[in-house]
């Protein structure tokens, strides 16, 4: 069951880009029952979605992976290039390893499967609204294995070379915290967090914050 919202929870605004009208209607009906999650725009056109995301600045965006005019990964890149800074969550039927890894490396903040239970989806969206990663539970092990497979001959990650501050940030990453929330908790600027994340990724021979978070969880770093 999803965690009930509190009366004190702020309303998180959500936008959907998906070319299936029935799915968009289903998401709207689901969110209409929640006081703290508000769908403010929906479209089946990636181009329209990019324009409206920049104009409306929703807190979160649910993005389909497979669309005829422009793929989800292309849309994701265009959204980031256009300056959209909200959280982008891929919402798809694909549980293929390559799709999951490519989306998260491309800048997605989460990856949810369309066959998940409605209450689980609401829970994940609330997690995302709090700055945490939103990933379907059954994909976590798949992602961890994918990272091990794709590292190949790269040196195995080790936290031994990290500074104390980098280890602190890694622990927060492992909890799925965004840069903004990490900065607030540690009393430093978001820009400083970004620099530390860049350095720790290089030291760990990893390519994204999500990879670092999954690795840290697997290693029991918390």
């Amino acid at each position: 069951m999803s965690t009930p919202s509190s009366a004190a929870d702020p309303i998180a605004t959500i936008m959907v880009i998906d070319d299936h009208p029935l799915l968009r209607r289903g998401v709207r009906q689901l969110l209409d029952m929640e006081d703290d999650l508000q769908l403010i725009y929906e479209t089946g056109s990636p181009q329209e979605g990019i324009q409206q995301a920049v104009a409306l600045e929703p807190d979160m965006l649910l993005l389909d992976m497979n669309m005829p005019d422009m793929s989800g990964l292309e849309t994701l890149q265009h959204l980031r290039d256009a300056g959209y800074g909200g959280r982008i969550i891929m919402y798809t039927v694909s549980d293929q390893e390559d799709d999951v890894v490519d989306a998260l490396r491309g800048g997605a903040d989460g990856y949810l499967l369309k066959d998940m239970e409605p209450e689980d989806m609401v829970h994940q969206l609330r997690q995302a609204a709090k700055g945490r990663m939103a990933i379907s539970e059954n994909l976590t092990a798949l992602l961890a294995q994918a990272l091990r497979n794709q590292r190949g001959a790269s040196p195995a990650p080790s936290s031994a070379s990290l500074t104390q501050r980098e280890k602190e940030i890694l622990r927060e990453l492992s909890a799925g915290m965004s840069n903004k929330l990490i900065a607030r908790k540690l009393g430093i600027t978001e820009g400083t967090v970004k620099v530390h994340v860049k350095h720790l990724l290089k030291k760990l021979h990893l390519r994204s914050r999500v990879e670092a978070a999954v690795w840290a969880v697997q290693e029991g770093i918390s």
Side-chain angles (χ1 to χ4, degrees), residues 32-180:
D32 279 347
M33 295 186 291
E34 306 300 331
D35 295 333
D36 57 330
L37 300 171
Q38 180 184 10
L39 182 63
I40 62 171
Y41 199 87
E42 59 175 92
T43 179
S45 165
Q47 292 87 350
E48 178 185 340
I50 293 165
Q51 293 175 346
Q52 292 300 322
V54 174
L56 300 174
E57 297 184 340
D59 297 316
M60 288 182 285
L61 194 153
L62 282 176
L63 177 61
D64 188 17
M65 176 69 83
N66 299 305
M67 295 180 287
D69 297 332
M70 184 186 298
S71 75
L73 291 177
E74 290 174 317
T75 306
L76 170 63
Q77 186 62 57
H78 284 302
L79 283 162
R80 293 309 191 200
D81 290 345
Y84 175 64
R87 300 181 69 73
I88 299 177
I89 302 165
M90 308 307 292
Y91 189 48
T92 175
V93 297
S94 174
D95 60 357
Q96 296 300 302
E97 177 181 303
D98 289 347
D99 285 341
V100 179
V101 173
D102 288 346
L104 297 176
R105 283 179 173 167
D109 300 291
Y111 197 104
L112 301 179
L113 298 176
K114 289 181 177 179
D115 63 355
M116 68 191 308
E117 294 294 330
E119 60 266 27
D120 292 337
M121 178 181 173
V122 170
H123 171 72
Q124 291 287 357
L125 290 178
R126 288 192 174 123
Q127 290 294 98
K130 295 174 182 177
R132 298 178 181 273
M133 287 187 298
I135 299 180
S136 291
E137 289 185 12
N138 56 328
L139 293 180
T140 304
L142 178 149
L143 180 58
Q145 183 60 47
L147 300 182
R148 285 193 289 269
N149 293 342
Q150 294 188 21
R151 266 198 298 271
S154 298
S158 170
S159 61
S161 63
L162 301 182
T163 66
Q164 186 60 38
R165 178 62 87 186
E166 288 166 352
K167 289 178 181 177
E168 290 175 345
I169 290 175
L170 180 60
R171 280 194 290 271
E172 300 306 325
L173 284 181
S174 71
M177 302 289 275
S178 65
N179 286 349
K180 182 180 294 185

Side-chain angles (χ1 to χ4, degrees), residues 198-210:
K198 180 180 179 180
H199 289 165
L200 71 85
L201 288 178
K202 184 176 181 180
K203 291 179 180 179
L204 294 174
H205 309 289
L206 299 172
R207 290 197 286 177
S208 77
R209 57 186 293 113
V210 176

